[in-house]
């Protein structure tokens, strides 16, 4: 393939403008060496240097090479690697081509396809027949999604995370990069083993998943200190035509969980049903409800009172357990509850008033943080 044809093809697929250049061999080797010092080296002819990605097209002679380059701000590292795979598949760089794509390349390819499905809202598409991972998506699998705060996950290498996850799950799995997030798919056999080990069996499945997420979160957080990751889990999926829908549901769970509780890092969909309902209320209706109860906003704006209410509802409105969780005397908690009643006219110790206050609190959060 000619250079200009390759450039046009890559630009049409990626939507990213590319620049074609010819460099002397000494200059190319100098760039590659510099990239190795500041950006962890090269990847199959791809290097990251300052604010640009550079792909090696081919060695034109013993003294020069042809390259393609693009603005690094225009694409993610995963997309850059995928472009590198496309370029590598159209020419001979002097190295023998591998017989098949490695695990990371196959995972990147699948992740880009999932993102394309989400962009066009095609949530029931089947994975194309020519994708190598399709055959591994036909059995029931349990999906997780890991997301890092403030793009901290950009420095996480596929191979290191994959090895860590295999040590935790103790078996085969799929690790799929989707932009800045990581989707993890593990076999249903894992749940089967957990059910057999549990004394309560299938009735305790949500607790089992919660414990599994807790262990996974602690493992990742300990490995990447300061990474600030968030984790969500989804119900079992069976068949590759469910994978895009599961990815969207996982992202939504992370979004809603972080919106309503910024301090929480593990987000379980069955614990966010009311929050999901509240977030779906049109903005106009939310504002009207809040305006009708505007006199209650002072309670929610007070961090101590807001934390008291949140803990009270988490403890199923149990006064003794709430006092223990807050490390305060029972009388102190009763004083706060009485203060809430004085300012709102609602007693959270009664079911109806507790429901109303909880709803107002959720609406306050979604309005302030949306």
């Amino acid at each position: 393939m000619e250079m200009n044809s390759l450039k046009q093809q890559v630009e049409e697929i990626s939507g990213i403008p590319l620049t074609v250049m010819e460099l002397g061999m000494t200059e190319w080797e100098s760039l590659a060496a510099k990239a190795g010092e500041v950006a962890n080296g090269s990847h199959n002819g791809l290097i990251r240097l300052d604010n640009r990605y550079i792909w090696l097209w081919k060695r034109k002679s013993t003294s020069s090479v042809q390259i393609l380059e693009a603005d690094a701000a225009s694409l993610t590292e995963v997309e850059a690697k995928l472009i590198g795979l496309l370029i590598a598949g159209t020419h001979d760089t002097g190295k023998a081509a591998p017989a098949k794509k490695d695990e990371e390349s196959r995972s990147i390819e699948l992740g880009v396809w999932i993102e394309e499905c989400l962009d066009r809202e095609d949530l029931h598409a089947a994975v194309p027949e020519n994708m190598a991972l399709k055959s591994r998506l036909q059995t029931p699998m349990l999906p997780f999604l890991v997301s890092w705060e403030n793009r901290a996950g950009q420095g996480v290498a596929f191979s290191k995370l994959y090895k860590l996850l295999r040590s935790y799950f103790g078996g085969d799995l799929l690790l799929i990069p989707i932009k800045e997030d990581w989707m993890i798919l593990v076999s249903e056999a894992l749940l089967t083993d957990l059910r057999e080990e549990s004394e309560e069996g299938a009735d305790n499945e949500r607790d089992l998943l919660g414990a599994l997420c807790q262990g996974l979160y602690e493992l990742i957080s300990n490995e990447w200190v300061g990474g600030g990751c968030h984790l969500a889990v989804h119900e079992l999926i069976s068949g590759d035509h469910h994978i895009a829908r599961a990815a969207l549901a996982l992202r939504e769970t992370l979004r809603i969980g972080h919106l309503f509780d910024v301090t929480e890092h593990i987000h379980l969909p069955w614990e966010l049903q009311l929050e999901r309902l509240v977030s779906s209320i049109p903005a106009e209706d939310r504002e009207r409800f809040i305006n009708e109860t505007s006199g209650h906003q002072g309670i929610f704006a007070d961090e101590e009172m807001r934390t008291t209410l949140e803990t009270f509802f988490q403890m199923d409105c149990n006064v003794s357990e709430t006092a223990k969780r807050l490390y305060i005397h029972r009388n102190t908690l009763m004083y706060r509850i009485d203060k809430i009643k004085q300012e709102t006219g609602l007693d959270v110790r009664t079911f109806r008033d507790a429901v109303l206050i909880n709803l107002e609190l959720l609406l306050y959060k979604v309005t302030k943080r949306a």
Side-chain angles (χ1 to χ4, degrees):
M1 181 182 291
E2 295 296 327
M3 172 64 87
N4 289 334
S5 298
L6 171 67
K7 176 178 179 292
Q8 181 179 0
Q9 178 180 333
V10 175
E11 286 179 336
E12 288 176 354
I13 293 174
S14 66
I16 304 299
L18 301 176
T19 302
V20 177
M21 297 181 65
E22 184 171 332
L23 300 178
M25 185 62 71
T26 302
E27 185 178 2
W28 164 252
E29 291 177 350
S30 176
L31 284 177
K34 184 178 179 182
E37 294 173 358
V38 301
N40 301 319
S42 61
H43 176 81
N44 294 333
L46 165 67
I47 63 174
R48 169 72 182 269
L49 187 64
D50 299 327
N51 60 349
R52 55 185 171 145
Y53 282 112
I54 301 173
W55 297 268
L56 172 64
W57 160 237
K58 65 181 177 181
R59 291 172 171 81
K60 192 172 182 181
S61 66
T62 58
S63 60
S64 67
V65 297
Q66 287 183 312
I67 65 168
L68 292 159
E69 70 172 36
D71 182 5
S74 301
L75 68 168
T76 66
E77 182 179 357
V78 168
E79 291 168 335
K81 288 181 178 180
L82 190 65
I83 292 174
L85 292 173
L86 176 63
I87 293 172
T90 61
H91 70 285
D92 181 7
T93 61
K95 298 180 181 180
K100 60 180 181 179
K101 296 176 182 176
D102 61 21
E103 183 75 15
E104 182 175 4
S105 300
R106 294 193 294 265
S107 297
I108 290 172
E109 181 182 50
L110 180 57
V112 171
W113 175 83
I114 292 173
E115 188 61 41
E116 290 174 350
C117 289
L118 297 179
D119 287 343
R120 64 174 183 265
E121 299 183 354
D122 187 359
L123 303 182
H124 300 285
V127 174
E129 296 292 337
N130 62 347
M131 285 196 179
L133 292 180
K134 181 178 177 69
S135 61
R136 295 171 61 185
L137 294 167
Q138 304 312 309
T139 57
M141 304 192 82
L142 182 65
F144 300 84
L145 191 68
V146 179
S147 178
W148 268 265
E149 293 177 347
N150 303 320
R151 303 171 70 86
Q154 285 188 320
V156 178
F158 176 94
S159 57
K160 185 176 180 181
L161 181 56
Y162 185 76
K163 182 178 180 180
L164 183 70
L165 293 172
R166 289 201 64 177
S167 70
Y168 179 71
F169 290 112
D172 194 21
L173 58 90
L174 291 177
L175 176 62
I176 307 167
I178 308 178
K179 286 195 172 178
E180 308 303 328
D181 301 330
W182 298 87
M183 188 176 189
I184 306 164
L185 295 169
V186 298
S187 170
E188 182 188 21
L190 173 68
L191 270 186
T192 302
D193 293 340
L194 288 174
R195 292 189 193 106
E196 292 174 353
E197 294 172 6
S198 172
E199 296 180 358
E200 299 181 38
D203 292 339
N204 199 34
E205 189 163 301
R206 287 183 174 178
D207 289 340
L208 292 176
L209 289 177
L212 189 64
C213 288
Q214 183 66 42
L216 180 57
Y217 169 74
E218 292 174 358
L219 179 72
I220 295 174
S221 297
N222 290 336
E223 188 68 25
W224 283 278
V225 178
C229 74
H230 288 260
L231 177 67
V233 67
H234 188 269
E235 62 187 9
L236 281 168
I237 61 172
S238 181
D240 58 295
H241 58 287
H242 291 302
I243 189 169
R245 180 176 61 84
L248 180 64
L250 285 164
R251 280 186 173 178
E252 185 67 2
T253 296
L254 284 178
R255 184 190 69 81
I256 292 174
H258 191 59
L259 175 65
F260 284 95
D261 192 346
V262 296
T263 63
E264 185 59 66
H265 291 269
I266 299 172
H267 308 285
L268 307 175
W270 54 86
E271 293 183 353
L272 296 169
Q273 293 171 327
L274 182 57
E275 287 83 354
R276 183 176 292 106
L277 176 63
V278 168
S279 68
S280 68
I281 297 175
E284 182 179 345
D285 293 335
R286 291 201 303 261
E287 290 292 340
R288 183 168 61 251
F289 185 89
I290 289 172
N291 289 336
E292 291 173 354
T293 59
S294 59
H296 304 171
Q297 302 306 300
I299 287 291
F300 304 138
D302 185 319
E303 184 176 355
E304 182 180 83
M305 298 302 285
R306 187 172 66 250
T307 300
T308 299
L309 284 170
E310 290 172 342
T311 308
F312 186 68
F313 295 137
Q314 288 172 3
M315 296 294 103
D316 296 324
C317 302
N318 185 301
V319 173
S320 297
E321 292 302 318
T322 302
K324 289 179 183 178
R325 176 64 65 89
L326 292 172
Y327 300 102
I328 60 176
H329 194 277
R330 178 187 174 94
N331 290 343
T332 302
L333 176 60
M334 294 304 299
Y335 169 79
R336 294 180 186 177
I337 289 175
D338 288 339
K339 183 178 180 181
I340 292 170
K341 183 178 180 180
Q342 291 174 6
E343 295 197 20
T344 66
L346 300 172
D347 187 348
V348 293
R349 289 165 294 188
T350 66
F351 175 77
R352 181 179 179 278
D353 288 358
V355 170
L356 287 173
I357 286 288
N358 193 21
L359 182 59
E360 288 182 34
L361 178 58
L362 292 175
L363 284 169
Y364 174 83
K365 288 182 179 181
V366 75
T367 302
K368 292 296 180 182
R369 298 171 185 167

